[in-house]
Structures are given as structure tokens and as C-alpha cells.
Amino acid sequence: MLRVTELHAHYGRAHILQGVSLHVRPGEIHVLLGRNGAGKSTTMKAVMGLVPPTSGGVEFLGQPIAGLEPFEVARRGLGYVPEERRVFAELSVAENLEVGRRRPREGLAPWTVERVCAVFPSLAAMLKRPGGRMSGGEQQMLTIGRTLMGNPCLVLLDEPSEGLAPVIVDRMAEAVRALRDEGMSILLSEQNWHFARRVGDTASIIEKGAIVWHGTMQALLADDEVRARYLTV
Amino acid sequence: MLGNLAVQALSGLASAASLFLVAAGLTVIFGVTRIVNFAHGSFYMLGAYLGWTLATNLPRGHVPFWGGVVLAAVIVGLVGVVVELLLLRRIYKAPELFQLLATFGVVLVVQDAALWIWGPQDLLGPRAPGLRGAVYIFDSRFPLYDLVLIGIGIAVFLLLWLLFQRTRFGILVRAATADREMVGALGVNQRLLFTGVFFLGSALAGLAGALQVPRESVNLQMDLAIIAEAFVVVVVGGLGSLPGAALAALLLGQMQAFGILVFPQITLVLVFLVMAAVLVVRPYGLLGRAPAGHAASLHIVEPPIAPLSPRGRLVAAVALGLAMLAPLVLADYALVVMTEICVAILFAATLHFIMGPGGMASFGHAAYFGIGAYGAALLVKHLAAPMELSLLAAPFAAGIAGLAFGWFCVRLSGVYAAMLTMAFAQIAWSTAFQWVAFTGGDNGILGVWPPAWAVPKPVQAWGALVLCLGGAFLLRRMIFAPFGAALRAQRDSVLRAEAIGIDTMRTRWFAFAIAAAFAGLAGGLFAFTKGSVFPTYMNISRSTDGLLMVLLGGVQTVTGPIIGAIAYTGLHEQLLRLTDLWRAVLGAIIIALVLFFPRGLAGLGAKQ
Ligand SMILES: Nc1ncnc2c1ncn2[C@@H]1O[C@H](COP(=O)(O)OP(=O)(O)OP(=O)(O)O)[C@@H](O)[C@H]1O
Ligand SMILES: [Mg+2]
């Protein structure tokens, strides 16, 4: 569904992505694991076109999308949930969702405000509240909901558990799994191994801008040595 | 008495209404596109001219009159769209200063287009049908039309509010004002949004212009007069904030209305003082917020400044030698141009000093040039001081002003700093313009002549060469001295500079004052070579001249300001001689330069 091959990207002169290759299959949650500064967020930004890739390919639904502008990538069905959430602080929750709304995609049940509220019930009670006056967990739900309103086929979820209380992390994991069960494909970046192991089907590990391991979650669970080498802090 | 006050408050509301219309467009455009659109005042002027043409040519009556007003607004909106599509769309990623300059190029082109189409004379339009009369409040008259204008202002505010709260377009505009990159990542095509916003904003400016026709004459100075005020409103209200613009317009309108009663001499100064005060207390304006997702910075990434190579030194020495010999052979006219170029070089070098090594922006550098010039001229006029003493006083006066204004300016960054520098320049300009008893107002100060020994043109040329190039050389030495190293360090990274013990704020402050002092010297010299000073010495155009010189030469090259000053002054001189439409040609050249050579002329030669 999403295939990234040998992706390179720079911030100014700093060579950040040094050949990232990934594959996300339809209906699965693929976890991109890696330490602080490994290049997880940059990979997602490069896929979205927010950071222009310097070389390498990105293929989505069989079409090359590298070099397209972010809005075109989004329109093809790639949803992006940024790590910093970037909720529009002065807009109400309902308005935030409206910004994300796009026309229904053929063959997919369209996302509506009601459907988003069904996934994240706490949003329903605060539709009129400004995005800036929500807790971190609520903001995280709102950003995911906002992206879903675009009726994406695949969502890039950048560290959804970051900075959240354990209870909220549990709820987030349930929501993410529920989305997958409805047929959504997800590329999820994580540092939090305990969150990742609960939601992931397959995984890649990124280190210094390159993929150093990939395989199924079971395989990673079984491989203590790889985990010790790349994931423990 | 009561009636008087009420009328004053109402006329404050009337000017607030038209100010709001202009500022609303400007702030919405800035919010979404991050472009500080100098040409917005030109759209206002175009609206007034178009409104005049329609009002005088259409049959009399309510429908043709108001239809004409709306039509003028729509046409101006379409002009805005054309400018957006052809020019701004290509430079959204360019540094902000270049964008500002490009829109200033549009200002020049529109000025000459209006001159060409409508001629230089002031145009008086017909009064609005049925609204010629006045209402009486207690015993004071208030024009009926102004009452309608207030109503229109309120109606437009409500309509805009509905547009922004209730429509998808409005919600997207508000979202993009906060974080436009995120809006793009959610699948919104920003080009359409930008074009839409430009239509809306320009049409509002056009509407405001067309509505002025029954109130006052239409003329070619309307554009820069309104843009300065509109900037103040937008900045005081908070860039991108519509309610902020409304609030600030109300504040300003009342201040002007009552300021006239209390301090008739300094109403303009008052306006800019309020802006400065607001910015110092609330750096993002009354209702503004720091933009997310992108740092507001005017920093232009270019290779670091390098000292001249041995070959460069040789070229410079030869050029200097030739310049010193030139007064022996050149005719008087050529010597006048040469003197002017020397002054321009020093002026550009001072602006470059704060922009290049300092990493700051100034949109009001002419203030210090003008304060130097006025300082010298006032000494001559009021105290009959000799030239030598007056010339010494010029950099002092400008340096002190630099210390005072700079203290505020170095605390802000990006567009806000640029706007604050402009506000201070406008304060200086307004003082010279309005304080007629002391400064001569618009008529300036005449008779600022040098003593007999300095009258011959060759002597003036030598004097200018020595003082200006000497000043530029000193500034250059400073860039490579420890102070300059600290200045460059804080430009590259405030955090790192602070970590090695540099007081970055103070470094910027001193640099600002030093640059101001040298600019004052250039101004003082200019006063004596011209024999007179005028408020135009510190107007927006002269500040832009300086910016053009520096950007033409390239910001991060040391030779840049010299090359830029020579090229710009030469170009200006040639254009003045060749064509009446020199502004339009200059504007077109500026636009072309920004589009095709964003690194400046000197940068062009330096690149492999
Ligand atoms: N805007 C930027 N400019 C320059 N360098 C950047 C920028 N953003 C990130 N980097 C650098 O790129 C590298 C990868 O960053 P990235 O944000 O992709 O890491 P990450 O894996 O998402 O880390 P984290 O877990 O902290 O989110 C880091 O070394 C970081 O310092
Ligand atoms: Mg990250």
C-alpha cells in the first residue's frame, strides 16, 4: 500500500534520512521504532512532502508520490497526524474537524463528526471548546479525528502516546486498534515499546536515518538481542 | 461643547471605519500568506481613482453611485488577484524582505500607472446622492455621508465576522493564519486559498478607496499615506487578527480625532508612539499571537562574510585612487552625482551593518539619515553654527536617536521589528512635517550652505569621498573586530552567543546606534551638499532606497553596499533623465530582480 524505497532527506546541509525503506500493507499497523532523533518524524514528513526528499521513491496505492506537494499527497488518501499535534488553538473542536473534512472516498465509509466522536467519545462533549483549551490527550484525539475527517486510506501517526498519562495511552491503543479493525492502514512511529508491542502487526527499526531491522511484531518480541541493541535507552 | 465632543467622536468613528476596511484586508492577507503587502495602499488608491471615474461617468442616482463603488472594489480585487498570480505566488518562499521589496515595486508601478491614466492633478468627485447634508447633534454639524460610512464599516465588520465564523472558507483562513503548513497537510490547496484571500483583501482596500471619493480629493499620495496608518493598525491589533484590526482602528480613529483638539502639532507622532508602546508591552499586538509552525525571521541564508582577497584589495585601492583623482577632471554635474553616490554608499553601509552582520532588519533607516540632516540644518538655522560643528553634531543627534529607538527595536524580531523601525521613522518624519515652527514643515529648511572654502564641487566631492568612504571603512573594520564577531555570533545563534558570554541584546543595541550615527553623518553631509533639508529625507521611500541598495548588492557581502549604492544611484539618475515613467521602470526592475536574482548583484558575481 505504501512503499518507501531508499529515501534520503536533508535539513539544510544535515543529511538526516540516509536511505529509508519501508513497506506498509493494507489493513496493518506498521510500527516505526527508534530512539530520540533517529529520524522517525522526518521519515513521515518526507513521505508527506513536508520535507522534500532529496532522492529515493515513495509509492502509494501503486502511484509514485515523491515530489508532490503535501496537499496533493493528502488528497490521494494519506493522512498525517503530526507529533506536535498542531491543533488550531483558536478554532473550536468542531472547526478543527471541519478543516480536515474532505469529500468521501469511493469504497470507504465516510468519516463524519459523529463517527469521530464514536471513536473518541470525550470529544463529543467539547465540540464548541477552542482547541487551545484542551488537555494533551484530548488534543491528541482531536488531531487524529481531524485527519480521519479527510477519509484517508492510510494514516501516518507520529508518536501518539507521547506525553500522555498511562490511562490515556491505554485508551489511545484501543482506539488505534479499533481503527485498524475497521480496515485502516497505519504507519505509527513510537519510542514507547510497551505501546508499540500492543498495537503493532509489523515493525521497522530506524537508527541514524536508516532502517536497521524489519519484520513481524512476533519476531521482534522474540528477538531480545535486537531490542536490547536498538530500543533500550 | 457636548455637541462638539460628540461630533469629534463621530468623526473619529468615520475615519476608524475606513481605516478598518483597509487594515482588515491587509491583516487577512498577512495572516494567511505572511506577506507584508506594501501595495495594499496602492489598491486603496486605485479604488479611489476607479470610484472617481465611475462616479463621474455613470448617470446620477443611488443605484449607479453605489453600484460604481462596488464595481470599483471588485475591479481592485481582480487587480489584486493578478498581482498574486503573476508575482507573489512565485515568491512565497523568498525571505520576507524580498517580498516586501517586490510589493514596493508594485507600489511604484501603480503610482506611475495612475499618473499616466488620471494625470497629476487632485481629482474631486461628486458627493453621494442624497447624502450631501448634515445632521445636527446638539448644535454641531456632522456630515450625513460620514454617518453612512460608519454604518458601512460596522456592516462590513459583521459580514466579515460571519464569513470567518460561519463559512468553510473563513474557517480555513483562520486555520491557515495559525498554521498554514498543517492546513496544507490536511489536503487544502493553499494556492486557491491565497488567491481567494488576495481577492477579498484587495477588494476591501478598493472599497475603502472608492468610499473616500465623496469625502476628499483623490491624489497620488494616497497610497503611502494610508499604508503607513494601515500598518500601524494591523501591527497594533496583532498581525492576522481581524478583531484586532477593528479594535486598533477604533483606538486610532479616536486618538486622531481628539488628538487634534489637544495636541494639534503631533497627532501623527502620537499614532506611532502608541504603536511603539503597544509593541513593547505586547510584542504581537493587542490581540495577536506568535505564529506557529514557522519562525518569523528576516534572516537571509547566505555564505558568511569574508574579508577581501589580496586581489580584491588591489582592485579596491585602484578604484579609490581613481575616485580621488576624478574631481580634478570631472564636470560639476558629474561631481554632484559622485558626491551623492558617496553619501549613498555610507548610508547603505550603515544599513548593511545592522542587516548583514547584525541580522536585524530596518524599514525605517532613513530616520537616522534625516535626523542627522535636520540636526545639522537646525544648528545652522537657529544657532548659526558653522558647518564643521554642525557636521559633527549630525552623527551625535542620529546616534542618540539610534540609542533611543534602537532600545525598543532590538527587542523584537522579524516583521514586528521591521514595522517598529518603520514606526519610529514615521515619528521622525511626522515631527519634521508637522512641527512647522521649528522644522519648517513641508517647506523644509533652506540655506544650509557650506562656508566659502567648501563651496567648489571638487572640494565637496573630496570631502564626501573622505568622510563617507572613511565611515564605510570604519564600519567594515568593525565587522572583523571583536565587536563584529560578537554581532555575527548573536545573528547566527542567540543561544550559543549567550552561552559564551555575549550580551546579545546589548550588542544589537550598540550596533543599531553605531549604524544610526554613521547614517546621521551621511545625512549631515547630504544637507550641506544640497543646501536644504526636507521631511522627504526620512520618508518611507528613502528607507526603501537604502534597502534596495543593500539587497541589490547582496546582504552578506562586505562590498555589497558599495556596489549596490553605486548601481542604484546610477540607475536612478539614468532613469530620471530617460523617462517620465521612471518609477514604473524602477518598480519593474525591482520586481524582476526579486524574481530572478534573489541573491543580489554582488552575490551574482561571487557565485561559481
Ligand atoms: N527542523 C529541523 N532542522 C534541522 N534538524 C532537524 C530538524 N528537525 C529534526 N532535525 C534533526 O533530524 C534528526 C531526526 O529528527 P526526527 O525528528 O526525525 O527524529 P525522531 O526519530 O522523530 O525523534 P523523536 O523521537 O525525538 O521525535 C535529529 O537529529 C534532529 O535533530
Ligand atoms: Mg519525532
Side-chain angles (χ1 to χ4, degrees), chain A residues 48 50 69-71 74-75 80 82 86 88-91 95 98-102 146-147, chain B residues 164-165 168 171-172 174-175 178-179 181-191 289 293:
Chain A
M48 274 314 283
L50 290 166
E69 286 191 57
F71 85 90
R75 285 181 178 191
Y80 171 59
R86 296 167 84 161
F88 303 114
E90 297 195 10
L91 273 61
E95 287 172 335
E98 171 63 25
V99 176
R101 182 173 63 83
R102 305 223 55 90
R146 185 177 67 180
T147 299
Chain B
F164 286 124
Q165 300 295 326
R168 179 168 167 84
I171 291 174
L172 290 181
R174 281 159 60 217
D179 186 349
E181 191 186 55
M182 191 62 227
V183 173
L186 288 169
V188 176
N189 183 352
Q190 298 191 32
R191 287 197 193 89
R289 278 171 186 253

Side-chain angles (χ1 to χ4, degrees), chain B residues 306-342:
Chain B
L308 274 185
S309 61
R311 208 171 111 234
R313 273 164 213 253
L314 190 67
V315 172
V318 170
L320 189 66
L322 286 177
M324 288 304 283
L325 292 178
L328 295 175
V329 291
L330 288 181
D332 274 5
Y333 172 73
L335 285 177
V336 169
V337 174
M338 182 171 155
T339 308
E340 244 172 66
I341 288 181
C342 288

Side-chain angles (χ1 to χ4, degrees), chain A residues 54-93:
Chain A
T54 29
S55 72
V58 183
E59 212 175 77
F60 180 58
L61 298 171
Q63 304 268 325
I65 58 164
L68 292 186
E69 286 191 57
F71 85 90
E72 294 171 303
V73 176
R75 285 181 178 191
R76 286 176 186 228
L78 255 178
Y80 171 59
V81 180
E83 185 175 6
E84 322 81 36
R85 298 177 188 140
R86 296 167 84 161
V87 163
F88 303 114
E90 297 195 10
L91 273 61
S92 68
V93 170

